[in-house]
Coordinates of all heavy atoms in Angstrom, one line a residue:
M1024 N 102.2 93.6 89.8 CA 102.2 94.5 90.9 C 103.1 95.6 90.6 O 104.2 95.5 90.1 CB 102.8 93.8 92.2 CG 102.6 94.6 93.4 SD 103.1 93.7 94.9 CE 104.9 93.9 94.8
K1025 N 102.6 96.8 90.9 CA 103.4 98.0 90.6 C 104.6 98.2 91.7 O 104.4 97.9 92.8 CB 102.5 99.2 90.7 CG 103.1 100.5 90.3 CD 102.1 101.6 90.1 CE 101.7 102.2 91.5 NZ 101.0 103.5 91.3
K1026 N 105.8 98.5 91.1 CA 106.9 98.7 92.1 C 107.7 99.9 91.7 O 107.5 100.4 90.5 CB 107.9 97.5 91.9 CG 107.3 96.2 92.5 CD 108.3 95.0 92.3 CE 109.4 95.1 93.4 NZ 110.3 93.9 93.3
L1027 N 108.5 100.4 92.6 CA 109.4 101.5 92.2 C 110.6 101.0 91.6 O 111.2 99.9 92.0 CB 109.8 102.2 93.5 CG 108.9 103.3 94.0 CD1 109.3 103.9 95.4 CD2 108.8 104.5 93.0
F1028 N 111.2 101.8 90.7 CA 112.4 101.3 90.0 C 113.3 102.5 89.8 O 112.9 103.6 89.4 CB 112.0 100.7 88.6 CG 113.2 100.4 87.7 CD1 114.1 99.4 88.1 CD2 113.5 101.2 86.5 CE1 115.2 99.2 87.3 CE2 114.5 100.9 85.8 CZ 115.5 99.8 86.2
V1029 N 114.6 102.4 90.1 CA 115.6 103.4 89.8 C 116.5 102.9 88.7 O 117.1 101.9 88.8 CB 116.5 103.8 91.0 CG1 117.6 104.8 90.6 CG2 115.6 104.4 92.1
N1030 N 116.4 103.6 87.6 CA 117.3 103.2 86.5 C 118.7 103.6 86.7 O 119.1 104.9 86.7 CB 116.8 103.8 85.2 CG 117.6 103.5 84.0 OD1 118.6 102.9 84.1 ND2 117.1 104.0 82.8
H1031 N 119.6 102.7 86.9 CA 121.0 103.1 87.3 C 121.9 103.6 86.1 O 122.9 104.1 86.2 CB 121.7 101.9 88.0 CG 121.2 101.8 89.4 ND1 121.4 100.6 90.1 CD2 120.6 102.6 90.2 CE1 120.9 100.7 91.3 NE2 120.3 101.9 91.4
E1032 N 121.3 103.4 85.0 CA 121.9 104.0 83.7 C 121.8 105.5 83.8 O 122.5 106.2 83.1 CB 121.3 103.4 82.4 CG 121.4 101.9 82.4 CD 122.8 101.4 81.8 OE1 123.3 102.1 80.9 OE2 123.3 100.5 82.4
A1033 N 120.6 105.9 84.3 CA 120.3 107.4 84.3 C 120.6 108.1 85.6 O 121.0 109.2 85.6 CB 118.8 107.5 84.1
C1034 N 120.6 107.3 86.8 CA 120.9 108.1 88.1 C 122.3 108.6 88.1 O 123.3 107.9 87.8 CB 120.7 107.0 89.2 SG 121.1 107.6 90.8
I1035 N 122.4 109.9 88.6 CA 123.7 110.5 88.7 C 124.1 110.6 90.2 O 125.1 111.3 90.5 CB 123.7 111.8 88.0 CG1 122.7 112.8 88.5 CG2 123.6 111.6 86.5 CD1 122.7 114.2 88.0
G1036 N 123.3 110.1 91.1 CA 123.7 110.1 92.5 C 123.6 111.4 93.1 O 124.3 111.7 94.1
C1037 N 122.7 112.3 92.6 CA 122.6 113.7 93.1 C 122.1 113.7 94.5 O 122.3 114.7 95.2 CB 121.7 114.5 92.2 SG 120.0 114.2 92.3
G1038 N 121.3 112.7 94.9 CA 120.8 112.6 96.3 C 119.5 113.3 96.5 O 118.9 113.2 97.6
A1039 N 118.8 113.9 95.5 CA 117.6 114.5 95.7 C 116.5 113.6 96.2 O 115.8 113.9 97.2 CB 117.1 115.2 94.4
C1040 N 116.4 112.4 95.7 CA 115.3 111.5 96.1 C 115.6 111.0 97.6 O 114.7 110.9 98.3 CB 115.2 110.3 95.2 SG 116.7 109.3 95.0
V1041 N 116.9 110.8 97.8 CA 117.2 110.3 99.3 C 116.9 111.4 100.3 O 116.3 111.1 101.3 CB 118.7 109.9 99.3 CG1 119.1 109.5 100.7 CG2 119.0 108.8 98.3
A1042 N 117.2 112.6 99.9 CA 116.9 113.8 100.8 C 115.4 113.9 101.0 O 114.9 114.2 102.1 CB 117.5 115.1 100.2
I1043 N 114.6 113.7 100.0 CA 113.1 113.9 100.1 C 112.4 112.7 100.7 O 111.6 112.9 101.6 CB 112.5 114.1 98.7 CG1 113.0 115.4 98.1 CG2 111.1 113.9 98.7 CD1 112.7 115.6 96.6
D1044 N 112.9 111.5 100.4 CA 112.2 110.4 101.0 C 113.2 109.2 101.3 O 113.5 108.3 100.6 CB 111.2 109.8 99.8 CG 110.3 108.7 100.3 OD1 110.5 108.3 101.5 OD2 109.4 108.3 99.5
Q1045 N 113.6 109.3 102.6 CA 114.5 108.3 103.1 C 113.8 107.0 103.5 O 114.4 106.0 103.8 CB 115.2 108.8 104.3 CG 116.2 110.0 104.0 CD 116.8 110.6 105.2 OE1 116.7 110.1 106.4 NE2 117.5 111.8 105.0
E1046 N 112.5 107.0 103.5 CA 111.7 105.8 103.7 C 111.8 104.8 102.5 O 111.9 103.6 102.7 CB 110.3 106.1 103.9 CG 109.4 105.0 104.1 CD 107.9 105.3 104.2 OE1 107.5 106.5 104.2 OE2 107.0 104.4 104.2
H1047 N 112.0 105.4 101.3 CA 112.0 104.5 100.1 C 113.3 104.5 99.3 O 113.5 103.6 98.5 CB 110.9 105.0 99.1 CG 109.5 104.8 99.6 ND1 108.7 105.8 100.3 CD2 108.7 103.7 99.6 CE1 107.6 105.3 100.6 NE2 107.6 104.0 100.2
F1048 N 114.2 105.5 99.6 CA 115.4 105.6 98.8 C 116.6 105.7 99.7 O 116.7 106.4 100.7 CB 115.4 106.8 97.8 CG 114.2 106.8 96.9 CD1 113.1 107.5 97.1 CD2 114.2 106.0 95.7 CE1 111.9 107.5 96.3 CE2 113.1 106.0 94.8 CZ 112.0 106.8 95.1
D1049 N 117.7 105.0 99.2 CA 119.0 105.2 99.9 C 120.1 104.9 98.9 O 119.8 104.4 97.8 CB 119.1 104.1 101.1 CG 120.2 104.4 102.0 OD1 120.9 105.5 101.9 OD2 120.4 103.7 103.0
F1050 N 121.3 105.3 99.2 CA 122.4 105.1 98.3 C 122.9 103.7 98.4 O 123.0 103.1 99.5 CB 123.6 106.1 98.7 CG 123.2 107.5 98.3 CD1 123.2 108.5 99.4 CD2 123.1 108.0 97.0 CE1 122.9 109.8 99.2 CE2 122.8 109.3 96.8 CZ 122.7 110.2 97.8
N1051 N 123.3 103.1 97.2 CA 124.0 101.9 97.3 C 125.5 102.1 97.4 O 126.0 103.3 97.5 CB 123.6 101.0 96.1 CG 124.1 101.6 94.8 OD1 124.9 102.5 94.7 ND2 123.6 101.1 93.7
D1052 N 126.3 101.0 97.3 CA 127.7 101.1 97.5 C 128.4 101.9 96.4 O 129.5 102.4 96.5 CB 128.3 99.8 97.5 CG 128.0 99.0 98.8 OD1 127.6 99.7 99.8 OD2 128.2 97.8 98.8
E1053 N 127.7 102.1 95.2 CA 128.3 102.9 94.1 C 127.8 104.3 94.1 O 128.0 105.1 93.2 CB 127.8 102.3 92.8 CG 128.4 100.9 92.6 CD 127.8 100.1 91.5 OE1 126.8 100.5 90.9 OE2 128.4 99.0 91.1
G1054 N 127.0 104.7 95.2 CA 126.6 106.1 95.3 C 125.4 106.4 94.5 O 125.1 107.6 94.2
L1055 N 124.7 105.4 94.0 CA 123.5 105.6 93.3 C 122.3 105.3 94.1 O 122.4 104.5 95.1 CB 123.5 104.7 92.0 CG 124.7 104.9 91.1 CD1 124.6 103.9 89.9 CD2 124.7 106.3 90.5
S1056 N 121.2 105.9 93.8 CA 120.0 105.6 94.6 C 119.4 104.2 94.3 O 119.5 103.7 93.2 CB 118.9 106.7 94.1 OG 117.7 106.4 94.7
E1057 N 118.9 103.7 95.4 CA 118.3 102.3 95.4 C 117.0 102.3 96.1 O 116.9 103.0 97.2 CB 119.3 101.4 96.0 CG 119.0 100.0 95.9 CD 120.2 99.1 96.4 OE1 120.3 98.9 97.5 OE2 121.1 98.8 95.5
V1058 N 116.1 101.6 95.6 CA 114.7 101.5 96.3 C 114.9 100.5 97.5 O 115.4 99.5 97.3 CB 113.7 101.0 95.3 CG1 112.3 100.7 96.1 CG2 113.5 101.9 94.1
I1059 N 114.5 101.0 98.6 CA 114.7 100.1 99.9 C 113.4 99.7 100.4 O 113.3 98.9 101.4 CB 115.5 100.9 101.0 CG1 114.8 102.2 101.3 CG2 116.9 101.1 100.5 CD1 115.5 102.9 102.6
K1060 N 112.3 100.2 99.8 CA 110.9 99.8 100.3 C 109.9 99.9 99.2 O 109.9 100.9 98.4 CB 110.6 100.7 101.5 CG 109.2 100.3 102.2 CD 109.0 101.2 103.3 CE 107.5 101.0 103.9 NZ 107.3 102.0 105.0
N1061 N 109.1 98.9 99.1 CA 108.0 99.0 98.0 C 106.6 99.0 98.6 O 105.6 98.6 97.9 CB 108.2 97.8 97.0 CG 108.9 98.3 95.8 OD1 108.4 99.2 95.1 ND2 110.1 97.9 95.5
E1062 N 106.5 99.4 99.8 CA 105.1 99.6 100.3 C 104.9 101.1 100.4 O 105.8 101.9 100.4 CB 105.0 99.1 101.8 CG 104.9 97.6 101.9 CD 106.3 97.0 102.1 OE1 107.1 97.5 102.8 OE2 106.6 95.9 101.3
N1063 N 103.6 101.5 100.3 CA 103.2 102.9 100.4 C 103.9 103.7 99.3 O 104.3 104.9 99.6 CB 103.5 103.4 101.8 CG 102.9 104.8 102.0 OD1 101.8 105.2 101.4 ND2 103.5 105.6 102.8
I1064 N 103.9 103.2 98.1 CA 104.7 103.9 97.1 C 103.8 104.9 96.3 O 104.4 105.6 95.4 CB 105.3 102.9 96.0 CG1 104.2 102.0 95.3 CG2 106.3 102.0 96.7 CD1 104.7 101.1 94.3
D1065 N 102.6 105.1 96.7 CA 101.9 106.2 96.1 C 101.9 107.5 97.0 O 101.1 108.4 96.8 CB 100.4 105.8 95.9 CG 100.3 104.8 94.7 OD1 101.0 105.0 93.7 OD2 99.7 103.8 94.8
S1066 N 102.8 107.5 98.0 CA 102.9 108.6 98.9 C 103.3 109.9 98.2 O 103.9 109.9 97.1 CB 103.8 108.3 100.1 OG 105.1 108.3 99.6
E1067 N 103.0 111.0 98.8 CA 103.4 112.3 98.3 C 104.9 112.4 98.2 O 105.5 113.0 97.3 CB 102.9 113.5 99.2 CG 101.4 113.7 99.0 CD 101.0 114.0 97.5 OE1 101.7 114.9 96.9 OE2 100.1 113.4 97.0
D1068 N 105.6 111.9 99.2 CA 107.1 111.9 99.2 C 107.6 111.2 98.0 O 108.6 111.7 97.4 CB 107.6 111.3 100.5 CG 107.6 112.2 101.7 OD1 107.3 113.4 101.4 OD2 107.9 111.8 102.8
V1069 N 107.1 110.0 97.7 CA 107.5 109.3 96.5 C 107.3 110.1 95.3 O 108.2 110.3 94.4 CB 106.9 107.9 96.3 CG1 107.2 107.3 95.0 CG2 107.3 107.0 97.5
K1070 N 106.1 110.7 95.1 CA 105.8 111.5 94.0 C 106.7 112.7 93.8 O 107.1 113.1 92.7 CB 104.3 112.0 94.0 CG 103.4 110.8 93.8 CD 102.0 111.1 94.0 CE 101.0 109.9 93.8 NZ 99.7 110.2 94.3
N1071 N 107.0 113.3 95.0 CA 107.9 114.5 95.0 C 109.4 114.0 94.6 O 110.1 114.7 93.9 CB 108.0 115.1 96.4 CG 106.7 115.9 96.7 OD1 106.0 116.3 95.7 ND2 106.5 116.1 97.9
A1072 N 109.8 112.9 95.1 CA 111.1 112.3 94.7 C 111.2 112.1 93.2 O 112.2 112.5 92.5 CB 111.4 111.1 95.5
I1073 N 110.1 111.4 92.6 CA 110.1 111.1 91.2 C 110.2 112.5 90.4 O 110.9 112.6 89.5 CB 108.8 110.4 90.8 CG1 108.9 109.0 91.4 CG2 108.6 110.4 89.3 CD1 107.6 108.2 91.3
S1074 N 109.3 113.5 90.8 CA 109.3 114.7 90.0 C 110.6 115.6 90.2 O 110.9 116.4 89.4 CB 108.0 115.5 90.3 OG 108.1 115.9 91.7
S1075 N 111.3 115.3 91.3 CA 112.6 116.1 91.6 C 113.8 115.5 91.0 O 114.9 116.1 91.0 CB 112.8 116.1 93.1 OG 111.7 116.8 93.7
C1076 N 113.7 114.3 90.5 CA 114.9 113.7 89.9 C 115.3 114.4 88.6 O 114.5 114.4 87.6 CB 114.6 112.2 89.6 SG 116.0 111.4 88.8
P1077 N 116.5 114.9 88.6 CA 116.9 115.7 87.3 C 117.1 114.8 86.1 O 117.1 115.3 85.0 CB 118.3 116.3 87.7 CG 118.8 115.4 88.8 CD 117.5 114.8 89.6
T1078 N 117.2 113.5 86.3 CA 117.4 112.7 85.1 C 116.2 111.7 84.8 O 116.4 110.8 84.0 CB 118.7 111.8 85.2 OG1 118.5 111.0 86.3 CG2 119.9 112.7 85.4
N1079 N 115.1 112.0 85.5 CA 114.0 111.1 85.4 C 114.3 109.6 85.5 O 113.8 108.7 84.8 CB 113.3 111.3 84.0 CG 112.8 112.7 83.8 OD1 112.1 113.2 84.8 ND2 112.9 113.3 82.7
A1080 N 115.1 109.3 86.5 CA 115.6 107.9 86.7 C 114.7 107.0 87.4 O 114.7 105.9 87.4 CB 117.0 107.9 87.4
I1081 N 113.7 107.7 88.1 CA 112.8 107.0 88.9 C 111.4 106.8 88.3 O 110.8 107.7 87.7 CB 112.6 107.7 90.4 CG1 113.9 108.1 91.0 CG2 111.7 106.8 91.3 CD1 113.7 109.0 92.1
S1082 N 110.9 105.6 88.3 CA 109.6 105.3 87.7 C 108.9 104.2 88.4 O 109.5 103.5 89.2 CB 109.8 105.0 86.2 OG 110.6 103.8 86.1
Y1083 N 107.6 104.0 88.0 CA 106.9 102.9 88.5 C 107.0 101.8 87.4 O 106.9 102.1 86.2 CB 105.4 103.2 88.7 CG 105.2 104.2 89.9 CD1 104.7 105.4 89.6 CD2 105.3 103.7 91.2 CE1 104.5 106.4 90.7 CE2 105.0 104.6 92.2 CZ 104.6 105.9 92.0 OH 104.3 106.8 93.0
V1084 N 107.2 100.6 87.8 CA 107.2 99.5 86.8 C 106.2 98.4 87.2 O 105.9 98.3 88.4 CB 108.6 98.9 86.7 CG1 109.6 100.0 86.1 CG2 109.1 98.3 88.0
D1085 N 105.8 97.7 86.2 CA 104.9 96.6 86.5 C 105.8 95.4 86.7 O 106.5 94.9 85.8 CB 104.0 96.3 85.3 CG 103.0 95.2 85.5 OD1 103.2 94.5 86.5 OD2 102.1 95.0 84.6
D1086 N 105.8 94.8 87.9 CA 106.7 93.7 88.3 C 106.3 92.5 87.5 O 107.2 91.6 87.4 CB 106.5 93.5 89.8 CG 107.7 92.7 90.3 OD1 108.8 92.7 89.7 OD2 107.5 91.9 91.3
D1087 N 105.1 92.4 87.0 CA 104.8 91.2 86.4 C 105.2 91.1 84.8 O 105.0 90.2 84.1 CB 103.2 91.0 86.4 CG 102.8 90.8 87.9 OD1 103.5 90.3 88.7 OD2 101.7 91.2 88.2
K1088 N 105.6 92.4 84.4 CA 105.9 92.5 83.0 C 107.1 91.6 82.5 O 108.1 91.4 83.2 CB 106.3 94.0 82.7 CG 106.3 94.4 81.3 CD 106.5 95.9 81.3 CE 106.5 96.4 79.8 NZ 106.6 97.8 79.7
K1089 N 107.0 91.0 81.4 CA 108.0 90.2 80.8 C 109.1 91.1 80.3 O 108.9 92.2 79.9 CB 107.5 89.3 79.8 CG 106.4 88.3 80.2 CD 106.9 87.3 81.1 CE 105.9 86.2 81.4 NZ 106.3 85.3 82.5
C1090 N 110.3 90.5 80.2 CA 111.5 91.2 79.7 C 111.4 91.4 78.1 O 111.1 90.5 77.4 CB 112.7 90.4 80.0 SG 114.2 91.2 79.4
N1091 N 111.6 92.6 77.7 CA 111.8 92.9 76.3 C 113.1 93.3 75.9 O 113.4 93.9 74.8 CB 110.8 94.1 75.9 CG 109.3 93.7 76.2 OD1 109.0 92.6 75.7 ND2 108.6 94.6 76.8
C1092 N 114.1 93.1 76.8 CA 115.5 93.5 76.6 C 116.2 92.8 75.4 O 116.1 91.6 75.3 CB 116.2 93.3 77.8 SG 117.9 93.9 77.8
K1093 N 116.8 93.6 74.5 CA 117.5 93.0 73.4 C 119.0 92.8 73.8 O 119.7 92.2 73.0 CB 117.4 94.0 72.2 CG 116.0 94.1 71.7 CD 116.0 95.2 70.6 CE 114.6 95.4 70.2 NZ 114.4 96.8 69.5
D1094 N 119.4 93.4 74.9 CA 120.8 93.4 75.3 C 121.2 92.2 76.1 O 122.4 92.0 76.3 CB 121.2 94.7 75.9 CG 120.9 95.9 75.0 OD1 121.1 95.7 73.7 OD2 120.6 96.9 75.5
C1095 N 120.3 91.5 76.6 CA 120.7 90.3 77.4 C 119.9 89.2 76.9 O 119.0 89.3 76.1 CB 120.4 90.5 78.9 SG 118.6 90.7 79.3
N1096 N 120.2 87.9 77.3 CA 119.6 86.8 76.7 C 118.6 86.0 77.6 O 118.4 84.9 77.5 CB 120.8 85.7 76.4 CG 121.7 86.3 75.4 OD1 121.3 86.9 74.4 ND2 123.0 86.2 75.7
C1097 N 118.0 86.8 78.5 CA 117.1 86.2 79.5 C 115.8 85.9 78.9 O 115.1 85.0 79.3 CB 116.9 87.1 80.7 SG 116.6 88.7 80.4
G1098 N 115.4 86.5 77.7 CA 114.2 86.2 77.0 C 113.0 86.5 77.8 O 113.0 87.3 78.7
D1099 N 111.9 85.7 77.6 CA 110.6 85.9 78.2 C 110.6 85.5 79.6 O 109.7 85.9 80.4 CB 109.5 85.3 77.4 CG 109.2 86.0 76.1 OD1 109.5 87.2 76.0 OD2 108.6 85.4 75.2
N1100 N 111.5 84.8 80.1 CA 111.5 84.3 81.4 C 112.5 85.1 82.3 O 113.0 84.6 83.3 CB 111.9 82.8 81.5 CG 110.9 81.9 80.8 OD1 109.6 82.2 81.0 ND2 111.3 81.0 80.0
C1101 N 112.7 86.3 82.0 CA 113.6 87.2 82.6 C 113.3 87.3 84.2 O 112.2 87.4 84.6 CB 113.5 88.6 82.0 SG 114.6 89.8 82.9
E1102 N 114.3 87.1 85.0 CA 114.2 87.2 86.4 C 115.1 88.3 86.9 O 115.4 88.3 88.1 CB 114.5 85.9 87.1 CG 113.5 84.8 86.7 CD 113.8 83.4 87.4 OE1 114.8 83.5 88.2 OE2 113.3 82.5 87.0
C1103 N 115.5 89.3 86.0 CA 116.4 90.3 86.4 C 115.7 91.2 87.4 O 116.4 91.8 88.3 CB 116.9 91.0 85.3 SG 115.8 91.6 84.1
G1104 N 114.4 91.5 87.3 CA 113.7 92.3 88.2 C 114.4 93.6 88.5 O 114.9 94.3 87.6
D1105 N 114.5 94.0 89.8 CA 115.0 95.3 90.1 C 116.6 95.3 89.9 O 117.1 96.4 90.0 CB 114.7 95.6 91.6 CG 113.3 95.9 91.8 OD1 112.6 96.3 90.8 OD2 112.8 95.9 92.9
E1106 N 117.2 94.2 89.8 CA 118.6 94.1 89.6 C 119.0 94.6 88.2 O 120.2 95.0 88.1 CB 119.2 92.7 89.9 CG 118.8 92.2 91.3 CD 119.3 93.1 92.4 OE1 120.5 93.6 92.3 OE2 118.5 93.4 93.3
C1107 N 118.2 94.5 87.3 CA 118.5 94.8 85.9 C 118.5 96.3 85.7 O 117.5 97.0 86.0 CB 117.5 94.1 84.9 SG 118.0 94.4 83.3
N1108 N 119.6 96.9 85.1 CA 119.6 98.4 84.9 C 119.2 98.7 83.5 O 119.3 99.8 83.1 CB 121.0 98.8 85.2 CG 121.4 98.7 86.6 OD1 120.5 98.8 87.5 ND2 122.6 98.6 86.9
C1109 N 118.9 97.7 82.7 CA 118.6 98.0 81.3 C 117.2 98.6 81.2 O 116.2 98.2 81.7 CB 118.5 96.7 80.6 SG 118.2 96.9 78.8
E1110 N 117.3 99.8 80.5 CA 116.0 100.5 80.3 C 115.0 99.7 79.5 O 113.8 99.8 79.7 CB 116.3 101.8 79.5 CG 116.9 102.9 80.4 CD 117.0 104.1 79.5 OE1 116.0 104.7 79.0 OE2 118.2 104.6 79.4
N1111 N 115.5 98.9 78.6 CA 114.6 98.1 77.8 C 113.7 97.2 78.6 O 112.5 96.9 78.2 CB 115.4 97.2 76.8 CG 116.1 98.1 75.8 OD1 115.6 99.2 75.5 ND2 117.2 97.6 75.3
C1112 N 114.1 96.8 79.8 CA 113.3 95.9 80.6 C 112.2 96.6 81.2 O 111.3 96.0 81.8 CB 114.2 95.2 81.7 SG 115.3 94.0 81.0
H1113 N 112.3 97.9 81.4 CA 111.3 98.6 82.2 C 110.6 99.7 81.4 O 110.1 100.7 82.0 CB 112.0 99.1 83.4 CG 112.5 98.0 84.2 ND1 111.8 97.3 85.1 CD2 113.8 97.6 84.4 CE1 112.6 96.4 85.7 NE2 113.8 96.5 85.2
K1114 N 110.5 99.6 80.2 CA 109.7 100.6 79.4 C 108.2 100.5 79.7 O 107.8 99.4 79.9 CB 110.0 100.4 77.9 CG 111.2 101.1 77.5 CD 111.5 101.0 76.0 CE 112.8 101.7 75.6 NZ 113.2 101.4 74.3
Ligands
LIG2259 S1 117.1 112.1 92.3 FE1 117.5 110.8 90.5 S2 119.6 111.2 89.9 FE2 119.4 111.9 92.0 S3 120.0 110.2 93.3 FE3 117.8 110.0 93.0 S4 117.5 108.7 91.2 FE4 119.6 109.4 91.2

């Protein structure tokens, strides 16, 4: 299933996505953007938020995809999901 993903390694907390689409994005306790909803993710607001991100931190990911991360030891049974900030998991 396709989901929205914010790469916290890339997010600089500029707030553009939150300003554009408060339905799907909000700040977490660290001041970085976090996905708060995964329904209606093909909306124009989501697309505008993705294209407005200055660091390209927002993307669609395949939730069924197995982990390819070399930096953690979770292997093919990775359950890090949206909690994982590693880019390798979401290429
Ligand atoms: S637009 Fe990009 S860099 Fe700015 S808060 Fe959203 S995800 Fe982070």
Side-chain angles (χ1 to χ4, degrees):
M1024 189 178 82
K1025 189 169 81 168
K1026 293 181 75 174
L1027 272 173
F1028 172 68
V1029 175
N1030 180 356
H1031 287 162
E1032 301 279 315
C1034 176
I1035 56 172
C1037 73
C1040 60
V1041 178
I1043 291 168
D1044 188 355
Q1045 294 175 9
E1046 180 186 353
H1047 292 95
F1048 302 97
D1049 198 0
F1050 291 114
N1051 65 15
D1052 291 342
E1053 295 167 350
L1055 301 176
S1056 173
E1057 191 167 85
V1058 176
I1059 56 171
K1060 182 178 174 184
N1061 257 302
E1062 286 91 44
N1063 191 29
I1064 59 173
D1065 288 316
S1066 71
E1067 284 303 310
D1068 280 350
V1069 169
K1070 290 173 184 170
N1071 287 336
I1073 290 172
S1074 64
S1075 299
C1076 177
T1078 61
N1079 296 318
I1081 309 168
S1082 59
Y1083 293 110
V1084 297
D1085 182 353
D1086 195 33
D1087 299 327
K1088 195 172 180 178
K1089 299 291 186 190
C1090 180
N1091 295 316
C1092 182
K1093 295 174 188 157
D1094 298 328
C1095 63
N1096 297 316
C1097 49
D1099 286 341
N1100 296 317
C1101 181
E1102 295 180 10
C1103 50
D1105 289 340
E1106 301 304 316
C1107 185
N1108 293 332
C1109 177
E1110 281 185 59
N1111 292 329
C1112 287
H1113 299 281
K1114 275 182 181 169

